[in-house]
mmCIF file of all heavy atoms in Angstrom:
data_model
loop_
_atom_site.group_PDB
_atom_site.id
_atom_site.type_symbol
_atom_site.label_atom_id
_atom_site.label_comp_id
_atom_site.label_asym_id
_atom_site.label_seq_id
_atom_site.Cartn_x
_atom_site.Cartn_y
_atom_site.Cartn_z
ATOM 1 N N LEU A 1453 0.826 -1.200 -0.016
ATOM 2 C CA LEU A 1453 0.022 -0.005 -0.005
ATOM 3 C C LEU A 1453 0.851 1.265 -0.010
ATOM 4 O O LEU A 1453 1.975 1.234 0.550
ATOM 5 C CB LEU A 1453 -0.902 0.031 1.231
ATOM 6 C CG LEU A 1453 -1.894 -1.111 1.401
ATOM 7 C CD1 LEU A 1453 -2.485 -1.095 2.834
ATOM 8 C CD2 LEU A 1453 -3.014 -1.010 0.381
ATOM 9 N N LEU A 1454 0.370 2.313 -0.610
ATOM 10 C CA LEU A 1454 1.072 3.588 -0.658
ATOM 11 C C LEU A 1454 0.242 4.682 -0.010
ATOM 12 O O LEU A 1454 -0.872 4.927 -0.436
ATOM 13 C CB LEU A 1454 1.401 3.925 -2.135
ATOM 14 C CG LEU A 1454 2.174 2.879 -2.898
ATOM 15 C CD1 LEU A 1454 2.395 3.289 -4.341
ATOM 16 C CD2 LEU A 1454 3.550 2.636 -2.239
ATOM 17 N N LEU A 1455 0.745 5.280 1.000
ATOM 18 C CA LEU A 1455 0.053 6.266 1.799
ATOM 19 C C LEU A 1455 0.154 7.653 1.108
ATOM 20 O O LEU A 1455 1.208 8.106 0.726
ATOM 21 C CB LEU A 1455 0.660 6.379 3.211
ATOM 22 C CG LEU A 1455 0.123 7.485 4.116
ATOM 23 C CD1 LEU A 1455 -1.392 7.273 4.353
ATOM 24 C CD2 LEU A 1455 0.912 7.544 5.435
ATOM 25 N N LEU A 1456 -1.007 8.274 0.981
ATOM 26 C CA LEU A 1456 -1.097 9.624 0.369
ATOM 27 C C LEU A 1456 -1.934 10.495 1.240
ATOM 28 O O LEU A 1456 -3.054 10.122 1.647
ATOM 29 C CB LEU A 1456 -1.749 9.501 -1.018
ATOM 30 C CG LEU A 1456 -1.880 10.764 -1.825
ATOM 31 C CD1 LEU A 1456 -0.504 11.300 -2.311
ATOM 32 C CD2 LEU A 1456 -2.777 10.554 -3.048
ATOM 33 N N PHE A 1457 -1.430 11.682 1.602
ATOM 34 C CA PHE A 1457 -2.219 12.622 2.391
ATOM 35 C C PHE A 1457 -2.971 13.572 1.461
ATOM 36 O O PHE A 1457 -2.493 13.929 0.396
ATOM 37 C CB PHE A 1457 -1.313 13.410 3.347
ATOM 38 C CG PHE A 1457 -0.729 12.595 4.473
ATOM 39 C CD1 PHE A 1457 0.624 12.347 4.547
ATOM 40 C CD2 PHE A 1457 -1.580 12.048 5.416
ATOM 41 C CE1 PHE A 1457 1.141 11.571 5.585
ATOM 42 C CE2 PHE A 1457 -1.048 11.263 6.484
ATOM 43 C CZ PHE A 1457 0.305 11.053 6.544
ATOM 44 N N ASN A 1458 -4.098 14.007 1.937
ATOM 45 C CA ASN A 1458 -4.996 14.863 1.150
ATOM 46 C C ASN A 1458 -4.407 16.235 0.995
ATOM 47 O O ASN A 1458 -4.178 16.932 1.977
ATOM 48 C CB ASN A 1458 -6.378 14.919 1.805
ATOM 49 C CG ASN A 1458 -7.445 15.421 0.801
ATOM 50 O OD1 ASN A 1458 -7.155 15.984 -0.211
ATOM 51 N ND2 ASN A 1458 -8.691 15.163 1.124
ATOM 52 N N ASP A 1459 -4.195 16.659 -0.210
ATOM 53 C CA ASP A 1459 -3.747 18.000 -0.513
ATOM 54 C C ASP A 1459 -4.855 18.824 -1.173
ATOM 55 O O ASP A 1459 -4.559 19.860 -1.813
ATOM 56 C CB ASP A 1459 -2.498 18.010 -1.376
ATOM 57 C CG ASP A 1459 -1.262 17.570 -0.626
ATOM 58 O OD1 ASP A 1459 -1.212 17.834 0.613
ATOM 59 O OD2 ASP A 1459 -0.361 16.943 -1.182
ATOM 60 N N TYR A 1460 -6.071 18.338 -1.166
ATOM 61 C CA TYR A 1460 -7.270 19.081 -1.525
ATOM 62 C C TYR A 1460 -7.256 19.644 -2.957
ATOM 63 O O TYR A 1460 -7.371 18.878 -3.890
ATOM 64 C CB TYR A 1460 -7.517 20.167 -0.450
ATOM 65 C CG TYR A 1460 -7.568 19.580 0.933
ATOM 66 C CD1 TYR A 1460 -6.485 19.679 1.778
ATOM 67 C CD2 TYR A 1460 -8.669 18.862 1.362
ATOM 68 C CE1 TYR A 1460 -6.492 19.124 3.030
ATOM 69 C CE2 TYR A 1460 -8.698 18.287 2.642
ATOM 70 C CZ TYR A 1460 -7.592 18.424 3.481
ATOM 71 O OH TYR A 1460 -7.607 17.840 4.731
ATOM 72 N N SER A 1461 -7.037 20.919 -3.113
ATOM 73 C CA SER A 1461 -7.054 21.554 -4.451
ATOM 74 C C SER A 1461 -5.742 21.369 -5.221
ATOM 75 O O SER A 1461 -5.619 21.770 -6.348
ATOM 76 C CB SER A 1461 -7.359 23.054 -4.337
ATOM 77 O OG SER A 1461 -6.459 23.672 -3.436
ATOM 78 N N ILE A 1462 -4.789 20.704 -4.576
ATOM 79 C CA ILE A 1462 -3.481 20.481 -5.212
ATOM 80 C C ILE A 1462 -3.301 18.977 -5.455
ATOM 81 O O ILE A 1462 -3.395 18.168 -4.526
ATOM 82 C CB ILE A 1462 -2.368 21.023 -4.294
ATOM 83 C CG1 ILE A 1462 -2.512 22.464 -3.971
ATOM 84 C CG2 ILE A 1462 -0.987 20.759 -4.945
ATOM 85 C CD1 ILE A 1462 -1.576 23.003 -2.937
ATOM 86 N N ALA A 1463 -3.056 18.588 -6.674
ATOM 87 C CA ALA A 1463 -2.841 17.159 -6.973
ATOM 88 C C ALA A 1463 -1.451 16.724 -6.591
ATOM 89 O O ALA A 1463 -1.230 15.605 -6.194
ATOM 90 C CB ALA A 1463 -3.087 16.879 -8.433
ATOM 91 N N GLY A 1464 -0.467 17.627 -6.703
ATOM 92 C CA GLY A 1464 0.902 17.287 -6.363
ATOM 93 C C GLY A 1464 1.506 16.370 -7.405
ATOM 94 O O GLY A 1464 0.997 16.170 -8.483
ATOM 95 N N THR A 1465 2.655 15.782 -7.070
ATOM 96 C CA THR A 1465 3.345 14.835 -7.980
ATOM 97 C C THR A 1465 3.378 13.412 -7.427
ATOM 98 O O THR A 1465 3.491 12.480 -8.234
ATOM 99 C CB THR A 1465 4.807 15.326 -8.204
ATOM 100 O OG1 THR A 1465 5.493 15.355 -6.932
ATOM 101 C CG2 THR A 1465 4.883 16.678 -8.836
ATOM 102 N N LYS A 1466 3.232 13.277 -6.135
ATOM 103 C CA LYS A 1466 3.347 11.963 -5.517
ATOM 104 C C LYS A 1466 2.347 10.975 -6.067
ATOM 105 O O LYS A 1466 2.672 9.779 -6.301
ATOM 106 C CB LYS A 1466 3.195 12.070 -4.020
ATOM 107 C CG LYS A 1466 3.687 10.891 -3.235
ATOM 108 C CD LYS A 1466 3.271 10.928 -1.743
ATOM 109 C CE LYS A 1466 3.410 12.308 -1.140
ATOM 110 N NZ LYS A 1466 4.786 12.798 -1.009
ATOM 111 N N ILE A 1467 1.120 11.402 -6.286
ATOM 112 C CA ILE A 1467 0.073 10.521 -6.710
ATOM 113 C C ILE A 1467 0.372 9.862 -8.066
ATOM 114 O O ILE A 1467 0.080 8.704 -8.319
ATOM 115 C CB ILE A 1467 -1.312 11.227 -6.774
ATOM 116 C CG1 ILE A 1467 -2.423 10.192 -7.003
ATOM 117 C CG2 ILE A 1467 -1.336 12.319 -7.823
ATOM 118 C CD1 ILE A 1467 -3.812 10.759 -6.833
ATOM 119 N N TYR A 1468 1.108 10.613 -8.906
ATOM 120 C CA TYR A 1468 1.449 10.058 -10.245
ATOM 121 C C TYR A 1468 2.502 8.953 -10.134
ATOM 122 O O TYR A 1468 2.440 7.933 -10.819
ATOM 123 C CB TYR A 1468 1.901 11.195 -11.165
ATOM 124 C CG TYR A 1468 0.883 12.266 -11.358
ATOM 125 C CD1 TYR A 1468 1.046 13.538 -10.766
ATOM 126 C CD2 TYR A 1468 -0.312 11.994 -12.023
ATOM 127 C CE1 TYR A 1468 0.087 14.513 -10.956
ATOM 128 C CE2 TYR A 1468 -1.274 12.993 -12.184
ATOM 129 C CZ TYR A 1468 -1.069 14.244 -11.645
ATOM 130 O OH TYR A 1468 -2.020 15.225 -11.802
ATOM 131 N N ASP A 1469 3.466 9.137 -9.250
ATOM 132 C CA ASP A 1469 4.463 8.082 -9.010
ATOM 133 C C ASP A 1469 3.766 6.818 -8.447
ATOM 134 O O ASP A 1469 4.094 5.696 -8.799
ATOM 135 C CB ASP A 1469 5.542 8.572 -8.052
ATOM 136 C CG ASP A 1469 6.504 9.537 -8.673
ATOM 137 O OD1 ASP A 1469 6.578 9.530 -9.938
ATOM 138 O OD2 ASP A 1469 7.154 10.276 -7.962
ATOM 139 N N TYR A 1470 2.832 7.030 -7.562
ATOM 140 C CA TYR A 1470 2.090 5.918 -6.980
ATOM 141 C C TYR A 1470 1.292 5.171 -8.085
ATOM 142 O O TYR A 1470 1.247 3.956 -8.106
ATOM 143 C CB TYR A 1470 1.117 6.420 -5.928
ATOM 144 C CG TYR A 1470 1.754 6.803 -4.598
ATOM 145 C CD1 TYR A 1470 3.151 6.818 -4.458
ATOM 146 C CD2 TYR A 1470 0.960 7.192 -3.540
ATOM 147 C CE1 TYR A 1470 3.715 7.171 -3.217
ATOM 148 C CE2 TYR A 1470 1.526 7.538 -2.288
ATOM 149 C CZ TYR A 1470 2.879 7.573 -2.142
ATOM 150 O OH TYR A 1470 3.439 7.941 -0.958
ATOM 151 N N LEU A 1471 0.698 5.954 -8.984
ATOM 152 C CA LEU A 1471 -0.043 5.272 -10.078
ATOM 153 C C LEU A 1471 0.891 4.476 -10.964
ATOM 154 O O LEU A 1471 0.530 3.418 -11.454
ATOM 155 C CB LEU A 1471 -0.736 6.365 -10.924
ATOM 156 C CG LEU A 1471 -1.934 7.082 -10.395
ATOM 157 C CD1 LEU A 1471 -2.389 8.215 -11.321
ATOM 158 C CD2 LEU A 1471 -3.104 6.145 -10.126
ATOM 159 N N ALA A 1472 2.139 4.956 -11.129
ATOM 160 C CA ALA A 1472 3.056 4.330 -12.048
ATOM 161 C C ALA A 1472 3.408 2.897 -11.603
ATOM 162 O O ALA A 1472 3.592 2.022 -12.453
ATOM 163 C CB ALA A 1472 4.348 5.162 -12.169
ATOM 164 N N VAL A 1473 3.512 2.676 -10.270
ATOM 165 C CA VAL A 1473 4.003 1.370 -9.830
ATOM 166 C C VAL A 1473 2.877 0.397 -9.543
ATOM 167 O O VAL A 1473 3.080 -0.741 -9.134
ATOM 168 C CB VAL A 1473 4.871 1.526 -8.559
ATOM 169 C CG1 VAL A 1473 6.116 2.317 -8.863
ATOM 170 C CG2 VAL A 1473 4.093 2.162 -7.415
ATOM 171 N N LYS A 1474 1.607 0.812 -9.774
ATOM 172 C CA LYS A 1474 0.440 -0.063 -9.678
ATOM 173 C C LYS A 1474 0.381 -0.743 -8.302
ATOM 174 O O LYS A 1474 0.398 -1.966 -8.189
ATOM 175 C CB LYS A 1474 0.405 -1.089 -10.783
ATOM 176 C CG LYS A 1474 0.096 -0.459 -12.138
ATOM 177 C CD LYS A 1474 -0.127 -1.520 -13.236
ATOM 178 C CE LYS A 1474 -0.527 -0.887 -14.540
ATOM 179 N NZ LYS A 1474 -1.866 -0.272 -14.466
ATOM 180 N N ARG A 1475 0.325 0.098 -7.250
ATOM 181 C CA ARG A 1475 0.074 -0.404 -5.916
ATOM 182 C C ARG A 1475 -1.134 0.391 -5.380
ATOM 183 O O ARG A 1475 -1.303 1.561 -5.679
ATOM 184 C CB ARG A 1475 1.267 -0.223 -4.995
ATOM 185 C CG ARG A 1475 2.463 -1.093 -5.366
ATOM 186 C CD ARG A 1475 2.163 -2.541 -5.109
ATOM 187 N NE ARG A 1475 3.261 -3.429 -5.568
ATOM 188 C CZ ARG A 1475 3.386 -3.977 -6.727
ATOM 189 N NH1 ARG A 1475 2.406 -3.768 -7.644
ATOM 190 N NH2 ARG A 1475 4.360 -4.740 -7.038
ATOM 191 N N ARG A 1476 -1.960 -0.240 -4.541
ATOM 192 C CA ARG A 1476 -3.130 0.455 -4.039
ATOM 193 C C ARG A 1476 -2.766 1.673 -3.233
ATOM 194 O O ARG A 1476 -1.821 1.619 -2.385
ATOM 195 C CB ARG A 1476 -3.989 -0.533 -3.218
ATOM 196 C CG ARG A 1476 -4.532 -1.723 -4.001
ATOM 197 C CD ARG A 1476 -5.519 -2.507 -3.153
ATOM 198 N NE ARG A 1476 -5.677 -3.826 -3.680
ATOM 199 C CZ ARG A 1476 -6.475 -4.769 -3.084
ATOM 200 N NH1 ARG A 1476 -7.166 -4.423 -2.026
ATOM 201 N NH2 ARG A 1476 -6.588 -5.989 -3.623
ATOM 202 N N ILE A 1477 -3.514 2.731 -3.429
ATOM 203 C CA ILE A 1477 -3.239 3.996 -2.755
ATOM 204 C C ILE A 1477 -4.257 4.214 -1.606
ATOM 205 O O ILE A 1477 -5.449 3.942 -1.775
ATOM 206 C CB ILE A 1477 -3.389 5.176 -3.765
ATOM 207 C CG1 ILE A 1477 -2.381 4.994 -4.909
ATOM 208 C CG2 ILE A 1477 -3.148 6.518 -3.065
ATOM 209 C CD1 ILE A 1477 -2.587 5.990 -6.051
ATOM 210 N N LEU A 1478 -3.740 4.690 -0.465
ATOM 211 C CA LEU A 1478 -4.573 5.047 0.675
ATOM 212 C C LEU A 1478 -4.561 6.582 0.808
ATOM 213 O O LEU A 1478 -3.545 7.145 1.234
ATOM 214 C CB LEU A 1478 -4.019 4.390 1.947
ATOM 215 C CG LEU A 1478 -4.328 2.945 2.248
ATOM 216 C CD1 LEU A 1478 -3.494 2.519 3.463
ATOM 217 C CD2 LEU A 1478 -5.823 2.764 2.557
ATOM 218 N N LEU A 1479 -5.666 7.227 0.458
ATOM 219 C CA LEU A 1479 -5.736 8.667 0.618
ATOM 220 C C LEU A 1479 -6.369 8.993 1.945
ATOM 221 O O LEU A 1479 -7.502 8.628 2.265
ATOM 222 C CB LEU A 1479 -6.610 9.290 -0.520
ATOM 223 C CG LEU A 1479 -6.873 10.800 -0.409
ATOM 224 C CD1 LEU A 1479 -5.574 11.560 -0.524
ATOM 225 C CD2 LEU A 1479 -7.858 11.244 -1.449
ATOM 226 N N CYS A 1480 -5.622 9.717 2.803
ATOM 227 C CA CYS A 1480 -6.088 10.087 4.142
ATOM 228 C C CYS A 1480 -6.084 11.602 4.295
ATOM 229 O O CYS A 1480 -5.032 12.196 4.193
ATOM 230 C CB CYS A 1480 -5.188 9.468 5.176
ATOM 231 S SG CYS A 1480 -5.111 7.645 5.197
ATOM 232 N N TYR A 1481 -7.191 12.230 4.618
ATOM 233 C CA TYR A 1481 -8.545 11.763 4.714
ATOM 234 C C TYR A 1481 -9.410 12.676 3.893
ATOM 235 O O TYR A 1481 -8.976 13.776 3.515
ATOM 236 C CB TYR A 1481 -9.047 11.804 6.160
ATOM 237 C CG TYR A 1481 -8.260 10.985 7.161
ATOM 238 C CD1 TYR A 1481 -7.426 11.598 8.058
ATOM 239 C CD2 TYR A 1481 -8.386 9.581 7.161
ATOM 240 C CE1 TYR A 1481 -6.721 10.841 9.008
ATOM 241 C CE2 TYR A 1481 -7.627 8.818 8.134
ATOM 242 C CZ TYR A 1481 -6.809 9.469 9.036
ATOM 243 O OH TYR A 1481 -6.127 8.719 9.957
ATOM 244 N N THR A 1482 -10.634 12.270 3.632
ATOM 245 C CA THR A 1482 -11.562 13.116 2.883
ATOM 246 C C THR A 1482 -12.483 13.931 3.726
ATOM 247 O O THR A 1482 -12.978 14.969 3.315
ATOM 248 C CB THR A 1482 -12.411 12.288 1.901
ATOM 249 O OG1 THR A 1482 -13.212 11.354 2.620
ATOM 250 C CG2 THR A 1482 -11.529 11.556 0.901
ATOM 251 N N ASN A 1483 -12.748 13.457 4.973
ATOM 252 C CA ASN A 1483 -13.640 14.204 5.854
ATOM 253 C C ASN A 1483 -13.428 13.851 7.315
ATOM 254 O O ASN A 1483 -14.315 13.297 8.013
ATOM 255 C CB ASN A 1483 -15.117 13.928 5.463
ATOM 256 C CG ASN A 1483 -16.088 14.882 6.175
ATOM 257 O OD1 ASN A 1483 -15.709 15.954 6.593
ATOM 258 N ND2 ASN A 1483 -17.350 14.458 6.288
ATOM 259 N N ASP A 1484 -12.258 14.126 7.763
ATOM 260 C CA ASP A 1484 -11.807 13.821 9.127
ATOM 261 C C ASP A 1484 -11.713 15.126 9.939
ATOM 262 O O ASP A 1484 -11.105 16.099 9.442
ATOM 263 C CB ASP A 1484 -10.486 13.069 9.150
ATOM 264 C CG ASP A 1484 -10.027 12.740 10.512
ATOM 265 O OD1 ASP A 1484 -10.459 11.715 11.071
ATOM 266 O OD2 ASP A 1484 -9.180 13.538 11.044
ATOM 267 N N LYS A 1485 -12.255 15.129 11.124
ATOM 268 C CA LYS A 1485 -12.326 16.380 11.940
ATOM 269 C C LYS A 1485 -10.921 16.953 12.194
ATOM 270 O O LYS A 1485 -10.675 18.124 12.018
ATOM 271 C CB LYS A 1485 -13.048 16.144 13.217
ATOM 272 C CG LYS A 1485 -13.223 17.389 14.110
ATOM 273 C CD LYS A 1485 -14.045 17.084 15.351
ATOM 274 C CE LYS A 1485 -14.184 18.375 16.198
ATOM 275 N NZ LYS A 1485 -14.963 18.103 17.436
ATOM 276 N N GLU A 1486 -10.024 16.066 12.680
ATOM 277 C CA GLU A 1486 -8.674 16.527 12.973
ATOM 278 C C GLU A 1486 -7.964 17.025 11.755
ATOM 279 O O GLU A 1486 -7.286 18.051 11.768
ATOM 280 C CB GLU A 1486 -7.846 15.376 13.617
ATOM 281 C CG GLU A 1486 -6.414 15.728 13.915
ATOM 282 C CD GLU A 1486 -5.635 14.565 14.471
ATOM 283 O OE1 GLU A 1486 -6.244 13.610 14.964
ATOM 284 O OE2 GLU A 1486 -4.374 14.546 14.364
ATOM 285 N N ALA A 1487 -8.093 16.310 10.622
ATOM 286 C CA ALA A 1487 -7.448 16.691 9.385
ATOM 287 C C ALA A 1487 -8.014 18.013 8.880
ATOM 288 O O ALA A 1487 -7.215 18.854 8.382
ATOM 289 C CB ALA A 1487 -7.631 15.624 8.312
ATOM 290 N N LEU A 1488 -9.259 18.246 9.012
ATOM 291 C CA LEU A 1488 -9.884 19.485 8.539
ATOM 292 C C LEU A 1488 -9.451 20.660 9.403
ATOM 293 O O LEU A 1488 -9.285 21.797 8.903
ATOM 294 C CB LEU A 1488 -11.401 19.384 8.557
ATOM 295 C CG LEU A 1488 -11.992 18.453 7.461
ATOM 296 C CD1 LEU A 1488 -13.519 18.290 7.626
ATOM 297 C CD2 LEU A 1488 -11.677 18.944 6.066
ATOM 298 N N ASN A 1489 -9.201 20.447 10.681
ATOM 299 C CA ASN A 1489 -8.688 21.474 11.584
ATOM 300 C C ASN A 1489 -7.277 21.876 11.125
ATOM 301 O O ASN A 1489 -6.876 23.049 11.130
ATOM 302 C CB ASN A 1489 -8.676 21.012 13.020
ATOM 303 C CG ASN A 1489 -10.068 21.013 13.626
ATOM 304 O OD1 ASN A 1489 -10.968 21.695 13.142
ATOM 305 N ND2 ASN A 1489 -10.289 20.222 14.666
ATOM 306 N N LEU A 1490 -6.467 20.856 10.784
ATOM 307 C CA LEU A 1490 -5.139 21.124 10.312
ATOM 308 C C LEU A 1490 -5.139 21.896 9.016
ATOM 309 O O LEU A 1490 -4.343 22.815 8.765
ATOM 310 C CB LEU A 1490 -4.359 19.812 10.124
ATOM 311 C CG LEU A 1490 -3.993 19.063 11.385
ATOM 312 C CD1 LEU A 1490 -3.422 17.699 11.052
ATOM 313 C CD2 LEU A 1490 -2.974 19.853 12.239
ATOM 314 N N LYS A 1491 -6.101 21.529 8.109
ATOM 315 C CA LYS A 1491 -6.226 22.229 6.855
ATOM 316 C C LYS A 1491 -6.542 23.689 7.067
ATOM 317 O O LYS A 1491 -5.978 24.570 6.430
ATOM 318 C CB LYS A 1491 -7.290 21.575 5.997
ATOM 319 C CG LYS A 1491 -7.489 22.267 4.680
ATOM 320 C CD LYS A 1491 -8.774 21.852 3.969
ATOM 321 C CE LYS A 1491 -8.984 22.681 2.678
ATOM 322 N NZ LYS A 1491 -10.280 22.501 2.068
ATOM 323 N N SER A 1492 -7.519 23.917 7.967
ATOM 324 C CA SER A 1492 -7.973 25.297 8.234
ATOM 325 C C SER A 1492 -6.801 26.135 8.758
ATOM 326 O O SER A 1492 -6.695 27.340 8.439
ATOM 327 C CB SER A 1492 -9.103 25.281 9.257
ATOM 328 O OG SER A 1492 -9.469 26.587 9.626
ATOM 329 N N LYS A 1493 -5.887 25.509 9.505
ATOM 330 C CA LYS A 1493 -4.790 26.278 10.143
ATOM 331 C C LYS A 1493 -3.601 26.464 9.219
ATOM 332 O O LYS A 1493 -2.954 27.503 9.236
ATOM 333 C CB LYS A 1493 -4.403 25.545 11.418
ATOM 334 C CG LYS A 1493 -3.365 26.302 12.249
ATOM 335 C CD LYS A 1493 -3.105 25.578 13.559
ATOM 336 C CE LYS A 1493 -2.109 26.342 14.416
ATOM 337 N NZ LYS A 1493 -1.859 25.658 15.716
#
């Protein structure tokens, strides 16, 4: 598995490398209270 953190409006470059090697991606998170607080700050 390949861990990916949510960058919201930014796709970044990491996700493309993950796609290249064909391993399942774990995007954390789409609607988590702690993560959204960090985003706001």
Side-chain angles (χ1 to χ4, degrees):
L1453 299 167
L1454 303 176
L1455 174 62
L1456 182 69
F1457 290 115
N1458 198 341
D1459 287 330
Y1460 307 101
S1461 55
I1462 304 171
T1465 59
K1466 196 190 319 293
I1467 190 171
Y1468 301 111
D1469 286 339
Y1470 285 5
L1471 289 174
V1473 297
K1474 289 188 177 291
R1475 292 293 176 267
R1476 297 189 201 179
I1477 300 171
L1478 280 171
L1479 176 65
C1480 298
Y1481 300 107
T1482 60
N1483 190 22
D1484 179 84
K1485 183 177 180 181
E1486 178 183 337
L1488 290 174
N1489 286 337
L1490 291 171
K1491 179 195 177 190
S1492 177
K1493 186 175 182 180

